[in-house]
């Protein structure tokens, strides 16, 4: 795979991930967060397991310790993240949501510094500051006085919770799952997370069965599972294999960009000065935080 095709794979994966905010926003008024998350990962788990078996011709065994770690990945990266993702998108626009969750790499850098002593350095500190400032500007819609007066809305809190749950997911994967391929970890944790979601859904008395007759629901679920989970993952890790994780991770910065512009194009969400300026601060901060 030449370098140009590698960059195209990585950029496409980032656009697919940006599109999940649009699909999730469109799905929010049609289906509750619990049913949305469950259906997304039922389909994604089947596809991931099929791909894993096709690649390895078997389902690899893992140790009890790894199963416990995989369960933690499922709880944080599948259950917590997706329930808060769909709940947040019920009241927050797709573009703003993508910029709020774009704080993930900054939170991961801070957590790695506090927990594992990883060095931050001057540029990364500046990047963290820019990201936090940009996120506050986006959350407050440019009116910081009103933000401090009325507080942060429930939808924004859910999305900030998404970012925190992804930090937990990343740090567990980074420190615990040694000797396990990313495909295996994602496949098995997706299945475990789906089982947890099924228990939650049953505990709530089931999902919104009536909404499942709407073809739009299945279209959005299919996009989230096929493009936003399977293909984006495959192409991202293909890029990681070709050019390394450090360079490939820079393409994650395209996720909020694509989320903002897809939201404006497909959902007619306004491109306000606070969204663009705050988003620019977030992107610059992300670049400085991830710069090697």
């Amino acid at each position: 795979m030449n370098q140009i095709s590698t960059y195209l794979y990585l950029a496409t994966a980032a656009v697919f991930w940006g599109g999940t905010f649009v699909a999730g926003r469109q799905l929010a008024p049609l289906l509750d967060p619990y049913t949305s998350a469950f259906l997304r990962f039922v389909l994604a788990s089947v596809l991931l397991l099929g791909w894993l078996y096709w690649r390895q011709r078997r389902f690899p065994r893992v140790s009890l310790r790894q199963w416990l770690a995989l369960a933690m990945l499922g709880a944080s990266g599948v259950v917590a993240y997706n329930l808060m993702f769909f709940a947040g998108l019920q009241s927050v626009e797709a573009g703003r949501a993508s910029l709020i969750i774009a704080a993930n790499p900054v939170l991961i850098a801070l957590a790695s510094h506090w927990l594992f002593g990883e060095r931050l350095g001057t540029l990364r500190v500046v990047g963290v500051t820019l990201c936090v400032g940009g996120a506050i500007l986006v959350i407050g819609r440019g009116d910081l006085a009103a933000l401090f007066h009325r507080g942060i809305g429930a939808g924004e809190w859910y999305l900030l919770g998404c970012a925190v749950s992804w930090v937990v997911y990343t740090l567990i994967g980074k420190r615990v799952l040694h000797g396990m391929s990313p495909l295996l970890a994602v496949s098995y944790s997706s299945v475990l997370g789906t089982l947890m979601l099924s228990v939650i859904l049953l505990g709530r008395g089931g999902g919104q069965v009536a909404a499942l007759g709407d073809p739009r629901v299945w279209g959005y679920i299919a996009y989230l599972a096929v493009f936003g989970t399977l293909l984006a993952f495959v192409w991202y890790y293909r890029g990681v294999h070709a050019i390394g994780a450090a360079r490939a991770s820079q393409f994650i910065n395209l996720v909020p960009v694509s989320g903002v512009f897809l939201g404006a194009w497909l959902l007619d969400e306004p491109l306000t000065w606070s969204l663009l300026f705050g988003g620019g601060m977030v992107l610059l901060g992300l670049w400085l935080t991830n710069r090697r």
Side-chain angles (χ1 to χ4, degrees), residues 144-162:
L144 300 185
L147 174 64
F148 288 113
H149 177 70
R150 69 172 182 267
I152 298 175
E156 285 83 359
W157 278 119
Y158 280 126
L159 293 166
L160 289 170
C162 281

Side-chain angles (χ1 to χ4, degrees), residues 17-26 28 81 84-104 135 138-139 141 155-163 255-261 263 267 269-270 275 279 282:
W17 277 324
T20 61
F21 292 91
V22 174
R25 178 68 171 165
Q26 292 287 72
Y81 181 93
M84 288 187 283
F85 174 81
F86 288 113
L89 285 170
Q90 290 186 326
S91 59
V92 179
E93 301 94 330
R96 289 182 64 235
S98 67
L99 286 168
I100 293 171
I101 297 181
N104 280 337
V138 170
I139 292 170
R141 300 177 187 269
E156 285 83 359
W157 278 119
Y158 280 126
L159 293 166
L160 289 170
C162 281
V255 175
V257 175
S258 61
V260 168
F261 286 100
L267 305 181
E269 294 178 353
L275 188 69
V282 169

Side-chain angles (χ1 to χ4, degrees), residues 172 175 252:
I172 292 171
R175 293 289 174 176
I252 300 297

Side-chain angles (χ1 to χ4, degrees), residues 60-187:
R61 294 182 178 181
V62 295
S63 67
L64 177 60
R65 179 174 176 273
Q66 288 174 319
W67 275 120
L68 293 174
L70 288 165
M72 293 171 67
L73 287 180
S76 57
V78 175
V79 178
Y81 181 93
N82 282 275
L83 290 181
M84 288 187 283
F85 174 81
F86 288 113
L89 285 170
Q90 290 186 326
S91 59
V92 179
E93 301 94 330
R96 289 182 64 235
S98 67
L99 286 168
I100 293 171
I101 297 181
N104 280 337
V106 172
L107 295 176
I108 292 168
L110 289 174
S112 298
H113 173 69
W114 290 330
L115 296 175
F116 308 123
E118 291 188 8
R119 185 173 176 272
L120 279 177
T122 304
L123 282 180
R124 297 186 82 185
V125 170
V126 173
V128 167
T129 304
L130 283 170
C131 271
V132 171
I136 291 174
L137 195 62
V138 170
I139 292 170
R141 300 177 187 269
D143 191 349
L144 300 185
L147 174 64
F148 288 113
H149 177 70
R150 69 172 182 267
I152 298 175
E156 285 83 359
W157 278 119
Y158 280 126
L159 293 166
L160 289 170
C162 281
V164 173
S165 65
W166 195 257
V167 171
V168 174
Y169 178 87
T170 303
L171 294 180
I172 292 171
K174 183 177 181 180
R175 293 289 174 176
V176 179
L177 297 176
H178 298 296
M180 187 181 298
S181 71
L183 174 59
L184 177 60
V186 171
S187 299

